[in-house]
Amino acid sequence: MVNEAGYKPLDMKTWARTPYYNYYAHGSKGMCAVTAELDISALAKKAGSDIYIPLLYAITKVINNHKEFRVGYCKENGELMVWDYISPIHRVFHPDTETFTRVCTEWKEDYKAFAKGAAADIKKGEKCASLNADEFPDSVFEVSYVPWLHYSSVNMKMSESGKYLAPIVTIGKAEEIGGATKIPLTMQISHAVADGFHIARFFEETRAETEKLAASL
């Protein structure tokens, strides 16, 4: 079972986003959903068709590098706090039933340790017929992989309460486009904690992280 991450209280008096949080979490309940094509040529050249776990690592690393993606609610008092780290919940597809099982891989900065954990979790998911392979901690975000479709956009409705703050990431099918290997990548997150600037930075840093990871493989 994945461990629950530690957390630190978020001081609403000093947090620069407090007025934005109040407006978007309690008022318009807005969200951001952006899809971009990510050039992963360097990673695809090194990893071949086995790009999923390296991509999952790069995405999770970038998300954990930024406070806005780790904001959540303290279950003890309901107040805002920031997780020390968050781990990805991802899906294992079952071709025979056309369903999936959700698994959670605990975040580790060391790539080999993370990849080993992810591979073991995927194997566990392959043997599980239920929706969830285990109990999950609250310190998580969601990842979906759609390797059958090179899509142009994704739009999933987030919680109408405005209380769901964790990122939702979708990865599409890799295709050769203009001599480069590209994937559609979608980031969805509550406007209460992030804006277009933060999402754009996520895309750019994820691209850079795939190149850095490719150089180390």
Side-chain angles (χ1 to χ4, degrees):
M1 182 175 175
V2 176
N3 296 317
E4 186 84 277
Y7 62 85
K8 298 176 181 65
L10 200 159
D11 188 347
M12 299 296 285
K13 293 180 180 178
T14 61
W15 188 33
R17 287 200 66 86
T18 294
Y20 305 89
Y21 167 82
N22 289 335
Y23 178 72
Y24 287 110
H26 305 298
S28 72
K29 299 181 178 62
M31 50 85 73
C32 298
V34 179
T35 298
E37 279 199 328
L38 207 69
D39 187 334
I40 59 164
S41 300
L43 184 61
K45 186 175 181 180
K46 279 292 187 73
S49 60
D50 298 325
I51 61 170
Y52 177 65
I53 290 178
L55 274 174
L56 186 64
Y57 172 86
I59 288 165
T60 306
K61 183 174 182 180
V62 173
I63 282 175
N64 275 293
N65 281 345
H66 296 287
K67 174 181 174 180
E68 63 268 15
F69 298 139
R70 294 181 281 112
V71 177
Y73 292 99
C74 177
K75 66 172 67 175
E76 283 78 19
N77 57 27
E79 295 182 358
L80 285 176
M81 50 77 175
V82 180
W83 293 111
D84 293 342
Y85 65 90
I86 55 176
S87 299
I89 288 176
H90 50 118
R91 285 126 176 92
V92 178
F93 183 67
H94 302 300
D96 54 337
T97 60
E98 299 181 353
T99 60
F100 62 83
T101 293
R102 297 164 80 231
V103 298
C104 185
T105 297
E106 186 158 14
W107 168 239
K108 288 180 172 57
E109 184 104 18
D110 179 77
Y111 172 69
K112 289 183 179 179
F114 178 84
K116 182 178 179 181
D121 293 326
I122 290 170
K123 284 186 178 179
K124 181 193 292 185
E126 289 173 345
K127 298 176 182 178
C128 181
S130 60
L131 174 62
N132 297 323
D134 208 339
E135 292 184 18
F136 303 140
D138 293 328
S139 49
V140 294
F141 71 100
E142 298 274 353
V143 179
S144 292
Y145 184 34
V146 188
W148 314 279
L149 180 67
H150 190 92
Y151 62 81
S152 58
S153 66
V154 171
N155 186 13
M156 289 191 296
K157 195 172 184 180
M158 295 179 73
S159 170
E160 293 185 2
S161 69
K163 295 292 185 179
Y164 188 87
L165 303 179
I168 299 175
V169 176
T170 307
I171 307 165
K173 179 182 179 181
E175 284 191 354
E176 294 296 318
I177 300 174
T181 303
K182 296 184 178 182
I183 57 161
L185 185 66
T186 304
M187 158 70 82
Q188 300 180 90
I189 194 165
S190 170
H191 225 331
V193 294
D195 304 314
F197 167 81
H198 305 99
I199 296 176
R201 182 169 62 186
F202 162 76
F203 287 127
E204 175 55 28
E205 291 189 4
T206 300
R207 181 201 60 76
E209 191 59 42
T210 63
E211 293 184 355
K212 181 180 176 181
L213 183 56
S216 70
L217 293 177

